[in-house]
Amino acid sequence: LDAMSAAMFVGHLAPAGSGVAEVAAAARAAPPAIAEPRAFDLLLDGLAVLITDGYGAGSSLVRGALSAFLSNSVSTEEGIRWLFLAVRSAHDLWDDFAWHELCVRHVQLARDAGALAVLPVALSQQIGLQLHAGEFAAAASLVAEMEAVGEATGNGLPPYGAMALAGWQGRSSEALRLIEVTTNALVARGEGMGLSLAHHTSAVLNNGLGRYEDAFTAAEQASAHPDELGFSNWGLVELIEAAARTGRTAEGAAALERLVESTGPTSTAWGRGIEARSRALLSEDGSAEVLYREAIQQLGGSRGAMALARARLLYGEWLRREGRRIDAREQLNAAQERFASIGAKAFSDRAHRELLATGAKARKRSVETRDELTDQERQIAVLARDGLSNPEIGTRLFLSPRTVEWHLRKVFAKLEISSRKGLRDALPGAGQTAVLA
C-alpha cells in the first residue's frame, strides 16, 4: 500500500515498469491477508482490482473498503497513515459524501496528533472538497493554514490549494502564475499526479473564461493518463465541455465513452449528474433537455454546488440557442446568483454574458464586501466565528494567543463590530454582483 501511494503521487512520471499498474499487478499476485482483513487490506485489494480490471470489477470492492474506513474500527495511527488513499479513492468513485466524511476525519486526526508532515496533504484534499462544494471562503482559510504549516516546518507542498482556488475563482493572472509555479515544482519533485491537477485547473479556468481552445488543450493533458483515476476523470469532464464548444464531436464522444466507464459502475448522484450533463453537451438527437434536467436533479442530491451551478449554466446556454429566452433567463439567473455567492467570478461573468444575449437588462444587487481584511485576518476571523478560542487559533496557525488577540482587534475595527458575536454577519460576502431580469 505504501508503494501504491507513492506510485499514485508519481503518476505518469513513473519510470517504465514501476508505475501504479505494476504495483497493482504485484498486489494482486501477493498472498491474501492471513487474519481478518482490515480497512487498509480491503483498500489495497480494491484498488488493485480497480486499476488492473477497471471500475466495473473494482468499484464495489473499493466501496467496501471505504465503508470500513467510515466505521469506528480504524485506529488513529492507521487513519493518519492511510486516510489519504481512502479520501482519494472516495472521489475516484464519485462519492462526495464519503469524500467529505473521510476528509474531515483525516484533517482532524492530523491536527489532534500534531502530524505536521501529514496535515498539508489532508488540508490539500479538503480544499478540493470545499471547492467542489462551493465553499470558497473556507477553502481560502485552509490555503492560509497550509502556508502557515509550510512556513513553520520548512517542508510545504507545492501550492496546490492556492492554485486550484484561483482557478475556480477565475482569477486569471493569479491562477496562471500559480499554475506555472506549481508545474515547475512538480516537475522537479517528479509528481505526475499533481501535474494532471494543474492541467485540470487550467481547463476549469479556461472553460469558465470561455477560452475553449485553451481549455481543450489543458483538458487533453489532464485526462491523458487513465491510471490516475479521479484526476484523469475530472479532466474528461472539462474536455467534453471544451470539445462541445469547439466542434470536436469525435473527441468529445471518445471522452464521454471513457467517462462512463467510471460513472456507470459507481452510480452516485454526483457521477450520474456529471454523466447526464456531459451527454447533454454532446446530444444531437433531441434528448439534451431531458439530460440537462436529469443532471440538475442528480447534482442537487450531491455535495457538488459548483457542478450543479454549471449544469444550470449549460442548460441556460442551450435554451438560449434554442430561442427560448424566458426559460433561459430562469436557468442563467439561478446559475449566476449561485456563482456570485460562491465567488466563482469567471463562471458568473459567463452567465452574465449569456443573460445579456437573451435581451435581459441588468439590475444591480449590492452585496457588502470586506476586502480590506488581509488573508491572515480573514482566516483568524473565520476560525473565531466558528467558535475556536484564541489559544486554539494560535495552535492552528502557529501564532501566540496574544498575536491572535491583536489581529482580532484589527478585524473588529475594520468590520465595525465589537465582539465575536458579530463575525457571522460581518464576514466578507461575495462582492458586487449583477442580477439580470
Side-chain angles (χ1 to χ4, degrees):
L1 202 55
D2 273 329
M4 181 77 76
S5 180
M8 285 183 169
F9 264 106
V10 175
H12 62 274
L13 296 182
S18 61
V20 68
E22 288 76 19
V23 175
R28 293 197 68 179
I34 298 174
E36 184 73 18
R38 297 151 295 185
F40 53 87
D41 294 317
L42 297 172
L43 183 59
L44 176 61
D45 292 343
L47 286 174
V49 173
L50 180 66
I51 291 165
T52 57
D53 291 355
Y55 275 83
S59 58
S60 62
L61 297 175
V62 177
R63 190 177 297 112
L66 297 182
S67 296
F69 272 98
L70 288 166
S71 72
N72 294 321
S73 62
V74 177
S75 70
T76 297
E77 181 181 355
E78 292 167 350
I80 289 174
R81 186 174 184 185
W82 301 123
L83 272 170
F84 157 74
L85 272 181
V87 170
R88 177 182 166 139
S89 298
H91 68 57
D92 288 348
L93 293 189
W94 302 97
D95 186 345
D96 51 1
F97 289 97
W99 183 12
H100 170 79
E101 294 297 324
L102 294 170
C103 199
V104 169
R105 183 181 301 180
H106 195 203
V107 169
Q108 193 60 52
L109 285 175
R111 284 174 175 159
D112 291 346
L116 298 185
V118 175
L119 183 57
V121 176
L123 290 173
S124 183
Q125 290 184 312
Q126 190 166 9
I127 289 166
L129 171 67
Q130 289 175 322
L131 294 176
H132 170 67
E135 298 167 352
F136 285 13
S141 178
L142 293 184
V143 167
E145 184 175 352
M146 277 188 67
E147 292 170 353
V149 174
E151 290 174 4
T153 62
N155 189 29
L157 291 174
Y160 292 119
M163 173 192 70
L165 176 60
W168 282 96
Q169 287 176 322
R171 293 185 285 119
S172 181
S173 297
E174 180 70 2
L176 291 173
R177 182 187 69 80
L178 287 168
I179 288 169
E180 182 180 5
V181 168
T182 304
T183 297
N184 291 338
L186 291 169
V187 170
R189 292 164 64 101
E191 293 182 11
M193 177 186 70
L195 283 177
S196 294
L197 180 60
H199 294 314
H200 174 259
T201 299
S202 178
V204 170
L205 171 69
N206 284 298
N207 270 332
L209 293 169
R211 301 172 182 169
Y212 299 116
E213 290 288 347
D214 292 338
F216 183 87
T217 300
E220 268 196 318
Q221 294 172 299
S223 60
H225 307 285
D227 283 350
E228 294 182 352
L229 302 178
F231 291 157
S232 180
N233 292 334
W234 294 357
L236 291 173
V237 177
E238 303 303 326
L239 182 63
I240 290 166
E241 182 169 338
R245 291 294 182 258
T246 56
R248 293 178 170 92
T249 305
E251 291 90 337
L256 177 62
E257 185 176 353
R258 278 183 55 195
L259 179 67
V260 172
E261 291 174 0
S262 67
T263 56
T266 53
S267 191
T268 65
W270 179 20
R272 288 192 297 268
I274 288 294
E275 179 182 329
R277 193 181 85 187
S278 299
R279 288 187 183 280
L281 275 163
L282 300 174
S283 175
E284 297 179 351
D285 60 2
S287 61
E289 182 159 25
V290 172
L291 289 167
Y292 277 127
R293 288 186 174 275
E294 179 186 351
I296 289 168
Q297 179 184 12
Q298 292 289 348
L299 292 170
S302 76
R303 298 186 64 88
M306 277 297 295
L308 174 59
R310 290 180 71 177
R312 291 192 180 278
L313 170 60
L314 292 168
Y315 183 27
E317 290 173 336
W318 180 84
L319 287 167
R320 184 186 70 79
R321 291 194 299 273
E322 292 292 305
R324 295 164 56 181
R325 293 187 299 169
I326 302 301
D327 293 336
R329 288 174 195 171
E330 178 184 355
Q331 297 299 327
L332 293 170
N333 257 321
Q336 196 220 1
E337 286 194 323
R338 190 66 175 120
F339 288 135
S341 68
I342 287 171
K345 186 178 185 302
F347 284 104
S348 178
D349 288 347
R350 180 173 145 189
H352 183 200
R353 292 191 298 270
E354 287 289 327
L355 277 163
L356 290 177
T358 69
K361 296 180 180 179
R363 55 184 175 84
K364 293 291 184 180
R365 174 170 61 88
S366 181
V367 179
E368 190 175 13
T369 63
R370 299 292 185 180
D371 291 337
E372 64 268 24
L373 292 182
T374 67
D375 288 342
Q376 187 170 60
E377 288 168 351
R378 185 176 296 108
Q379 184 186 23
I380 290 171
V382 168
L383 295 174
R385 178 204 64 187
D386 292 344
L388 274 69
S389 67
N390 287 1
E392 289 171 332
I393 295 171
T395 298
R396 179 82 60 89
L397 303 182
F398 302 94
L399 301 171
S400 70
R402 186 183 297 276
T403 300
V404 172
E405 181 180 0
W406 177 73
H407 280 299
L408 277 176
R409 286 200 301 268
K410 293 175 64 179
V411 167
F412 294 162
K414 289 181 178 182
L415 300 183
E416 299 178 357
I417 59 177
S418 59
S419 69
R420 292 170 178 250
K421 292 181 180 179
L423 285 173
R424 186 167 297 276
D425 294 329
L427 286 176
Q432 185 81 4
T433 62
V435 179
L436 299 167

